[in-house]
Amino acid sequence: MGQLILPTSGSIYIDTSVAIYTIEGNPDYYSILQQLWSKFYTGDIQIINSELILMEVLVVPLRNMLFMLQQLYLLILTNLLLTIKAFVMFLVYLLLSSVNF
């Protein structure tokens, strides 16, 4: 596994894989993603992404009719009910609990 080198401050672009690994709790990337989200939570970095991320993360849940996972992605990535801080706290919960959907 590679290493993630994070800046001390600034913006970081995340791709679809980061969202999928975080939301689905991929254990192979736990320690790397924990560093990323911790720096975001403390305000050291900002996270940015493309609007395409929502479309890309929904491909497999839609194809496999995983309705709960679809709703989870929609809720988190469209930020309908969660503030950014609550979103990060939820991601930390997912990382720590290894919840599988």
Side-chain angles (χ1 to χ4, degrees):
M1 170 110 22
Q3 182 180 10
L4 181 63
I5 300 171
L6 296 169
T8 56
S9 64
S11 298
I12 297 196
Y13 176 86
I14 63 166
D15 200 358
T16 304
S17 58
V18 173
I20 291 171
Y21 296 157
T22 300
I23 294 169
E24 294 185 16
N26 186 317
D28 294 335
Y29 295 93
Y30 171 80
S31 61
I32 290 175
L33 293 175
Q34 185 181 38
Q35 295 170 28
L36 173 72
W37 294 114
S38 292
K39 285 187 82 70
F40 173 74
Y41 184 75
T42 60
D44 294 337
I45 59 170
Q46 292 181 324
I47 301 291
I48 56 175
N49 62 42
S50 166
E51 294 84 13
L52 294 174
I53 198 169
L54 183 59
M55 180 184 69
E56 292 172 341
V57 299
L58 289 174
V59 170
V60 171
L62 287 169
R63 183 181 328 145
N64 296 335
M65 293 187 283
L66 301 169
F67 301 113
M68 215 170 161
L69 188 55
Q70 290 172 34
Q71 293 305 309
L72 181 61
Y73 276 121
L74 288 169
L75 177 68
I76 290 173
L77 295 176
T78 59
N79 201 20
L80 292 176
L81 300 175
L82 300 174
T83 64
I84 292 296
K85 200 159 201 171
F87 165 66
V88 172
M89 290 170 65
F90 181 70
L91 291 175
V92 170
Y93 165 77
L94 288 177
L95 287 170
L96 294 177
S97 66
S98 300
V99 173
N100 293 317
F101 291 93

